[in-house]
Amino acid sequence: MIMALIYIENLKYSYGNLNNSLRDVKYELNNGEKNIVIGPNGSGKTTFLKCILGILKTEKMIKIDNNYVENIREYTALSTNIKDALHLSGDLSVKEFIKYHMKLKLIKEDAAFNMLAYFKLDSLKNKRLSDLSTGQEKMVYNTIALSGDYKIILLDEPLSSIDPDRSRLLINIINKSKNSFIITTHDLDLIKKIEGSTLNIMVDGNLSEKISPGELIFSMNVNTTRPQDKFIEIRGNDRTIYLTYGKENNVINNIDDLLYLYEV
Ligand SMILES: Nc1ncnc2c1ncn2[C@@H]1O[C@H](COP(=O)(O)OP(=O)(O)OP(=O)(O)O)[C@@H](O)[C@H]1O
């Protein structure tokens, strides 16, 4: 049996007693897959990535390359733009910060500096991290995540606060890459722009089954009242959202219509 690159079963995570941030997540990421996770604010997308990264501790629920995450000490095949996963020591310059991370990941620092130049961000090298704009800071983390040949790249909202030109450059890199990605986003356009992407929808800590975007736009209907003929069921706290075949209301004719998901 060929095991998925990331294999998750019964993943639950709570920050405190009252908070059920992830409810019972089942998930697989295959080799070379580019998986996009969308969902409303606070639905659990970042928490999901942090569990995979081992930043949040879980018990034998997540396997990467057939090893439990908690047993992986130095997983150099995994890369991310999540700030909490990037070790920070003091207020470094961008140059120092990049050098530090490339050394940590045993990657030639040129890889990251070339990427920075590709993003037309050479001028940031000597700036302090604390002096960067929100978008510039995000691009530095994206650069670190994408430099080097990582097997799995976890990008949390990589395009938030990023200008259209740099967004285009970043999407080009993802499209050219043969590696596997999980990308969280609120930018529904990304689903169209990342070639061959798959989609999961997170609602109230529940993750939908995997959907290929092509499947969605054949007159799918977003509703909370028609469990019969459901194609995808997404359980929320106090509602269940069904994607059904049909043309009554909230019909998905294109990716932008996924906005209905946020409205029901
Ligand atoms: N450090 C924390 N302590 C307590 N609760 C937290 C913490 N981080 C997140 N949460 C809660 O967990 C839930 C999921 O948060 P998470 O950040 O994973 O959502 P998200 O889908 O990434 O949201 P967004 O789209 O707004 O970035 C939310 O209810 C949030 O309030």
Side-chain angles (χ1 to χ4, degrees):
M1 192 180 80
I2 299 171
M3 197 79 181
L5 199 51
I6 298 183
Y7 180 83
I8 299 178
E9 225 175 10
N10 309 119
L11 172 61
K12 299 180 181 66
Y13 190 84
S14 293
Y15 288 97
N17 291 337
L18 297 172
N19 184 337
N20 241 336
S21 292
L22 294 178
R23 285 165 179 272
D24 195 359
V25 171
K26 187 169 163 38
Y27 178 82
E28 287 184 17
L29 182 78
N30 297 310
N31 229 330
E33 183 175 351
K34 290 163 187 168
N35 180 236
I36 295 178
V37 181
I38 63 168
N41 288 132
S43 54
K45 302 178 298 296
T46 304
T47 305
F48 176 59
L49 296 188
K50 285 183 176 174
C51 288
I52 296 173
L53 287 162
I55 300 174
L56 300 176
K57 302 292 169 218
T58 56
E59 290 266 323
K60 300 219 186 297
M61 295 162 183
I62 303 175
K63 275 186 173 177
I64 298 177
D65 258 351
N66 221 6
N67 293 307
Y68 286 112
V69 161
E70 52 270 43
N71 296 340
I72 303 174
R73 290 256 169 275
E74 295 287 330
Y75 200 83
T76 51
L78 200 65
S79 170
T80 185
N81 68 347
I82 292 184
K83 194 173 174 176
D84 293 2
L86 301 171
H87 310 262
L88 286 168
S89 46
D91 187 19
L92 302 177
S93 70
V94 170
K95 197 173 176 177
E96 289 165 333
F97 185 68
I98 287 178
K99 279 186 170 204
Y100 176 78
H101 282 283
M102 293 301 105
K103 200 169 171 188
L104 208 65
K105 290 275 189 183
L106 308 173
I107 289 169
K108 288 201 181 102
E109 58 188 51
D110 279 0
F113 290 123
N114 290 341
M115 177 91 54
L116 205 63
Y118 167 79
F119 288 133
K120 305 173 195 171
L121 292 171
D122 256 344
S123 59
L124 297 187
K125 271 191 210 165
N126 294 317
K127 279 200 167 194
R128 305 260 128 218
L129 278 173
S130 58
D131 293 338
L132 299 182
S133 72
T134 311
Q136 288 172 330
E137 188 184 11
K138 188 80 180 202
M139 281 309 294
V140 170
Y141 301 144
N142 284 337
T143 300
I144 286 180
L146 292 164
S147 304
D149 193 22
Y150 303 103
K151 208 162 177 180
I152 306 169
I153 302 172
L154 307 184
L155 297 179
D156 195 24
E157 299 189 29
L159 299 183
S160 78
S161 310
I162 305 304
D163 67 47
D165 186 39
R166 294 194 170 88
S167 296
R168 180 182 57 81
L169 294 170
L170 201 128
I171 289 166
N172 277 348
I173 292 203
I174 298 173
N175 274 332
K176 278 189 194 142
S177 172
K178 299 267 180 277
N179 300 327
S180 309
F181 287 79
I182 307 177
I183 305 169
T184 72
T185 188
H186 290 298
D187 180 356
L188 298 178
D189 244 18
L190 201 59
I191 302 166
K192 285 184 273 184
K193 290 178 180 163
I194 304 283
E195 293 154 14
S197 60
T198 56
L199 177 69
N200 282 79
I201 302 163
M202 180 80 85
V203 177
D204 299 340
N206 292 294
L207 196 63
S208 76
E209 285 172 49
K210 206 171 278 179
I211 308 165
S212 92
E215 283 175 307
L216 263 183
I217 48 187
F218 289 115
S219 302
M220 296 304 302
N221 175 274
V222 181
N223 66 81
T224 54
T225 53
R226 283 214 314 131
Q228 68 274 25
D229 304 329
K230 67 178 185 258
F231 167 65
I232 292 283
E233 170 181 308
I234 311 160
R235 277 169 295 134
N237 270 345
D238 50 8
R239 69 206 187 287
T240 303
I241 299 172
Y242 304 106
L243 299 186
T244 56
Y245 294 105
K247 294 197 173 194
E248 311 88 270
N249 301 303
N250 300 345
V251 174
I252 303 175
N253 285 314
N254 59 57
I255 292 295
D256 299 332
D257 292 335
L258 275 174
L259 276 179
Y260 292 130
L261 278 170
Y262 298 83
E263 292 167 6
V264 295

